[in-house]
Coordinates of all heavy atoms in Angstrom, one line a residue:
R85 N -53.5 6.7 8.4 CA -54.9 6.3 8.0 C -55.9 7.3 8.7 O -57.0 7.6 8.1 CB -55.2 4.9 8.5 CG -54.6 3.8 7.5 CD -55.1 2.4 7.8 NE -56.6 2.4 7.7 CZ -57.3 1.9 8.7 NH1 -56.8 1.4 9.8 NH2 -58.6 1.9 8.6
H86 N -55.7 7.7 10.0 CA -56.6 8.6 10.6 C -56.4 10.0 10.2 O -57.4 10.8 10.2 CB -56.4 8.4 12.1 CG -56.9 7.1 12.6 ND1 -58.2 6.7 12.6 CD2 -56.1 6.0 13.2 CE1 -58.3 5.4 13.1 NE2 -57.1 5.0 13.4
R87 N -55.2 10.3 9.8 CA -54.9 11.8 9.5 C -55.3 12.1 8.0 O -55.8 13.2 7.7 CB -53.5 12.0 9.7 CG -53.0 13.4 9.4 CD -51.6 13.5 9.7 NE -51.4 14.9 10.0 CZ -50.5 15.3 10.9 NH1 -49.8 14.5 11.6 NH2 -50.4 16.6 11.2
Y88 N -55.2 11.2 7.1 CA -55.4 11.4 5.7 C -56.5 10.5 5.2 O -56.6 9.3 5.6 CB -54.1 11.2 4.9 CG -52.9 12.0 5.4 CD1 -51.9 11.4 6.1 CD2 -52.9 13.4 5.2 CE1 -50.8 12.2 6.6 CE2 -51.8 14.2 5.6 CZ -50.8 13.5 6.4 OH -49.8 14.3 6.9
P89 N -57.2 11.0 4.2 CA -58.3 10.1 3.7 C -57.8 9.1 2.6 O -58.0 9.3 1.5 CB -59.3 11.2 3.0 CG -58.4 12.3 2.6 CD -57.3 12.3 3.6
V90 N -57.2 8.0 3.1 CA -56.8 7.0 2.2 C -57.2 5.7 2.7 O -57.5 5.5 3.9 CB -55.2 7.0 2.2 CG1 -54.6 8.2 1.5 CG2 -54.6 6.8 3.6
A91 N -57.4 4.8 1.7 CA -57.9 3.4 2.1 C -56.8 2.7 2.8 O -55.6 2.9 2.6 CB -58.3 2.7 0.8
E92 N -57.2 1.7 3.6 CA -56.3 1.0 4.4 C -55.2 0.3 3.5 O -54.1 0.2 3.9 CB -57.0 -0.1 5.3 CG -56.1 -0.9 6.1 CD -56.8 -1.9 7.1 OE1 -58.0 -1.7 7.2 OE2 -56.1 -2.6 7.7
A93 N -55.6 -0.2 2.4 CA -54.7 -1.0 1.5 C -53.7 0.0 0.9 O -52.6 -0.5 0.5 CB -55.5 -1.6 0.3
E94 N -53.9 1.3 0.9 CA -53.0 2.2 0.4 C -51.8 2.6 1.3 O -50.9 3.3 0.9 CB -53.7 3.5 -0.1 CG -54.6 3.4 -1.3 CD -53.9 2.8 -2.5 OE1 -52.8 3.4 -2.8 OE2 -54.3 1.9 -3.1
V95 N -52.0 2.3 2.6 CA -50.9 2.7 3.5 C -50.0 1.6 3.9 O -48.9 1.8 4.6 CB -51.5 3.3 4.8 CG1 -52.2 4.6 4.5 CG2 -52.4 2.3 5.6
H96 N -50.3 0.4 3.5 CA -49.4 -0.8 3.8 C -48.3 -0.9 2.8 O -48.4 -0.5 1.6 CB -50.2 -2.1 3.9 CG -51.1 -2.0 5.1 ND1 -50.7 -2.1 6.4 CD2 -52.4 -1.9 5.1 CE1 -51.7 -2.0 7.2 NE2 -52.8 -1.9 6.5
A97 N -47.2 -1.6 3.2 CA -46.1 -1.8 2.2 C -46.5 -2.6 1.1 O -47.3 -3.5 1.2 CB -44.9 -2.5 2.9
R98 N -46.1 -2.2 -0.1 CA -46.5 -2.9 -1.3 C -45.5 -2.7 -2.4 O -44.7 -1.8 -2.4 CB -47.9 -2.6 -1.7 CG -48.1 -1.2 -2.1 CD -49.6 -0.9 -2.4 NE -50.0 -1.6 -3.6 CZ -51.1 -1.3 -4.3 NH1 -51.9 -0.4 -3.8 NH2 -51.5 -2.0 -5.4
V99 N -45.7 -3.4 -3.5 CA -44.8 -3.2 -4.7 C -45.7 -2.9 -5.9 O -46.7 -3.6 -6.1 CB -44.0 -4.5 -5.0 CG1 -43.2 -4.4 -6.3 CG2 -43.1 -4.8 -3.8
F100 N -45.3 -1.9 -6.6 CA -46.1 -1.5 -7.8 C -45.3 -2.0 -9.0 O -44.1 -1.9 -9.0 CB -46.2 0.0 -7.9 CG -47.0 0.5 -6.7 CD1 -46.5 1.0 -5.5 CD2 -48.4 0.7 -6.9 CE1 -47.3 1.4 -4.5 CE2 -49.3 1.2 -5.9 CZ -48.7 1.5 -4.7
V101 N -46.0 -2.4 -10.0 CA -45.4 -3.0 -11.3 C -45.6 -2.1 -12.4 O -46.8 -1.7 -12.6 CB -45.8 -4.4 -11.6 CG1 -45.2 -5.0 -12.8 CG2 -45.6 -5.3 -10.4
R102 N -44.6 -1.8 -13.2 CA -44.7 -0.9 -14.3 C -44.0 -1.5 -15.5 O -42.8 -1.8 -15.4 CB -44.2 0.5 -14.0 CG -44.5 1.5 -15.2 CD -44.1 2.9 -14.8 NE -42.7 3.2 -15.0 CZ -42.1 3.8 -16.1 NH1 -42.9 4.1 -17.0 NH2 -40.9 4.0 -16.1
A103 N -44.7 -1.6 -16.6 CA -44.1 -2.1 -17.8 C -43.4 -1.0 -18.6 O -44.1 0.0 -18.9 CB -45.1 -2.8 -18.7

Side-chain angles (χ1 to χ4, degrees):
R85 283 192 53 233
H86 293 294
R87 183 179 208 143
Y88 305 106
V90 292
E92 183 174 349
E94 291 301 313
V95 295
H96 293 291
R98 64 184 292 193
V99 174
F100 296 91
V101 179
R102 184 172 86 93

